[in-house]
C-alpha cells in the first residue's frame, strides 16, 4: 500500500544521496581552489514529520567543478540553526560534533558525500508540534534554509472526529478507519498540517446533491503532490457520505486531497470513489452549500462553481469522545 511518508528514512536517504541530487530543496556554491566548486543541498525527510519521531534532515555536498575540492574538515553539526514560527532561535544542545572521519578529505569532480542529521539531538525542542525554519551555513557560506513541519502523530488505535468550519456552519465527520485506513490517515495528516485552512474551497456543487472541495488549485487539478490508490470497501455513497475523488490528472488513482460530501445518495458514483467518512453533524450545512447560486446555473446533475467562494476556514481533528457508557480507545 502506497504511502510515501511511511518510507523508512534509511531507504529514503539512500535514494537522496545516490539518485535524487537534482531534487534537493536548496543549493548554494562554496568556492575552493580554482576550478573546484562545492554545492550544498539541504532537505527534510518529507512534507512533514511526526512529533515524537526523529526530526531528520539530510545534507549533501557535491563537487560540480572541474578540479578536486579539498575538504577543510567541516563541523557540520555546528552549522545548523533552527527558528520557530515566531522567529525565535531554538537553543542548541552540545552533543559531539558529527564525525569528521566520515568526510572525504578530497572530492573529485562529480563526487559527493552526505550525512543524515537528527536535529532533535541538537535542538530538543524541534520535536514539538509546529513549523520550523532550519538553516545551515559555514564560514564564507551564505545561510541556506528549509522549512520543516512537525505535526501530531496519527494513532490508528484511536477514534478521531473532524470538524470542517465554513461561514455557513460546521460539518462534523466520523471516519471508517478499518475500511479505508490509508485515506483516513491521509485526510487527518493533511488536516493536522493545516493544509486545507483558508486556502481551499468547496469549488463545485450539484444542487441538492453533492459538494466537492479540498483542492489547493481551486479546481479539479489539485493535489498535495501525490495520489492515493483506491481502497475498495463496498461502501455506497449515501446521504452524508464523504469520499475521495479523482482529479483531472490522476487516472485510476485518487487525488490525495479532493473530496466530496453527498447531500443525497449518489448511486451513479458507487464503486468509483473510496468512501472514508460520514457526516454526523452539519448535514444541513452541506445542503445549504449545494443550493448556493452557481456560475453554471442549476441544471440537474451538473456540477458548477458557486458564484461566491465557499472557503474551508479550517479542519480540526480531535479524538472522538466516547458515548455515555463507552470506554475510550
Amino acid at each position: 500500500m502506497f504511502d510515501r511518508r511511511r518510507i523508512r528514512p534509511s531507504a529514503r536517504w539512500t535514494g537522496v544521496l545516490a539518485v535524487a541530487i537534482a531534487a534537493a530543496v536548496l543549493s548554494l556554491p562554496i568556492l575552493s581552489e580554482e576550478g573546484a566548486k562545492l554545492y550544498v543541498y539541504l532537505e527534510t525527510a518529507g512534507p512533514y514529520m511526526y512529533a515524537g519521531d526523529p526530526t531528520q534532515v539530510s545534507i549533501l555536498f557535491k563537487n560540480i567543478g572541474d578540479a578536486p575540492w579539498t575538504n577543510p574538515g567541516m563541523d557540520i553539526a555546528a552549522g545548523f540553526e533552527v527558528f520557530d514560527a515566531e522567529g525565535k532561535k531554538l537553543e542548541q544542545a552540545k552533543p559531539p560534533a558529527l564525525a569528521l572521519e566520515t568526510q572525504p578529505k578530497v572530492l573529485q569532480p562529480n563526487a559527493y558525500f552526505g550525512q543524515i542529521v537528527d536535529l532533535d539531538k541538537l535542538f530538543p525542542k524541534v520535536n514539538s508540534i509546529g513549523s520550523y525554519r532550519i538553516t545551515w551555513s559555514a564560514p564564507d557560506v551564505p545561510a541556506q534554509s528549509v522549512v520543516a513541519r512537525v505535526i501530531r502523530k496519527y494513532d490508528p488505535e484511536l477514534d478521531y472526529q473532524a470538524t470542517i468550519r465554513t461561514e455557513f456552519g460546521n460539518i462534523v465527520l466520523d471516519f471508517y478507519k478499518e475500511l479505508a485506513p490509508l485515506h483516513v490517515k491521509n485526510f487527518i495528516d493533511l488536516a493536522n498540517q493545516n493544509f486545507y485552512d483558508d486556502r481551499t474551497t468547496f469549488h463545485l456543487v450539484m444542487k441538492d446533491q453533492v459538494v466537492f472541495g479540498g483542492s489547493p488549485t481551486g479546481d479539479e487539478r489539485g493535489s498535495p503532490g501525490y495520489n492515493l490508490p483506491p481502497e475498495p470497501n463496498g461502501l455506497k455513497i449515501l446521504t452524508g457520505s464523504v469520499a475521495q475523488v479523482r482529479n483531472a490528472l490522476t487516472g485510476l488513482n485518487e487525488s490525495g486531497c479532493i473530496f466530496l460530501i453527498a447531500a443525497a445518495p449518489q448511486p451513479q458514483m458507487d464503486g468509483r470513489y473510496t468512501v472514508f467518512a460520514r457526516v454526523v453533524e452539519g448535514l444541513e450545512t452541506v445542503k445549504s452549500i449545494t443550493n448556493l447560486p452557481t456560475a453554471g446555473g442549476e441544471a440537474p446533475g451538473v456540477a458548477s462553481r458557486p458564484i461566491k467562494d465557499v472557503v474551508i476556514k479550517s479542519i480540526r481533528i480531535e479524538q472522538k469522545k466516547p458515548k455515555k457508557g463507552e470506554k475510550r480507545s
Side-chain angles (χ1 to χ4, degrees), residues 15 41 61 101 106 150 169 176 178 182 191 204 247 289 301-302:
Y41 303 85
F61 305 87
E101 61 268 18
V106 176
V150 179
Y176 297 114
E178 291 85 5
L182 174 60
L204 291 176
N247 68 16
I289 294 173
V302 177

Side-chain angles (χ1 to χ4, degrees), residues 26-31 38 40 42 79 135-145:
L26 289 174
S27 59
L28 288 171
I30 304 176
L31 298 181
L38 192 72
V40 181
L42 184 65
T135 71
W136 187 89
S137 63
D140 302 319
V141 183
Q144 49 189 294
S145 301

Side-chain angles (χ1 to χ4, degrees), residues 144-306:
Q144 49 189 294
S145 301
V146 65
V147 174
R149 293 187 62 86
V150 179
I151 69 171
R152 186 184 312 161
K153 189 170 185 176
Y154 173 76
D155 186 342
E157 299 300 319
L158 298 180
D159 292 321
Y160 296 97
Q161 278 190 331
T163 300
I164 304 174
R165 291 179 57 246
T166 77
E167 64 178 292
F168 298 93
N170 293 346
I171 306 165
V172 181
L173 310 181
D174 277 357
F175 296 100
Y176 297 114
K177 67 176 185 179
E178 291 85 5
L179 298 175
L182 174 60
H183 285 69
V184 170
K185 177 184 180 297
N186 177 71
F187 184 89
I188 290 174
D189 282 344
L190 287 176
N192 281 336
Q193 293 176 66
N194 307 118
F195 175 88
Y196 294 106
D197 297 3
D198 288 320
R199 67 188 290 248
T200 63
T201 63
F202 286 110
H203 57 278
L204 291 176
V205 304
M206 290 170 55
K207 182 176 174 59
D208 293 322
Q209 298 296 312
V210 65
V211 300
F212 298 84
S215 170
T217 60
D219 57 26
E220 67 278 7
R221 297 176 296 116
S223 84
Y226 57 86
N227 303 317
L228 299 176
E231 291 182 291
N233 54 28
L235 292 175
K236 295 183 178 181
I237 299 182
L238 306 174
T239 300
S241 293
V242 183
Q244 200 86 47
V245 299
R246 301 182 185 122
N247 68 16
L249 307 174
T250 53
L252 295 177
N253 286 337
E254 296 169 331
S255 167
C257 59
I258 303 176
F259 59 93
L260 66 81
I261 306 177
Q266 304 296 313
Q268 77 281 7
M269 297 183 183
D270 288 345
R272 293 175 54 193
Y273 307 125
T274 299
V275 177
F276 67 91
R278 67 185 184 277
V279 176
V280 293
E281 294 179 31
L283 188 59
E284 67 282 358
T285 298
V286 179
K287 292 180 178 179
S288 67
I289 294 173
T290 69
N291 282 284
L292 292 173
T294 64
E298 299 178 353
V302 177
S304 301
R305 181 178 295 275

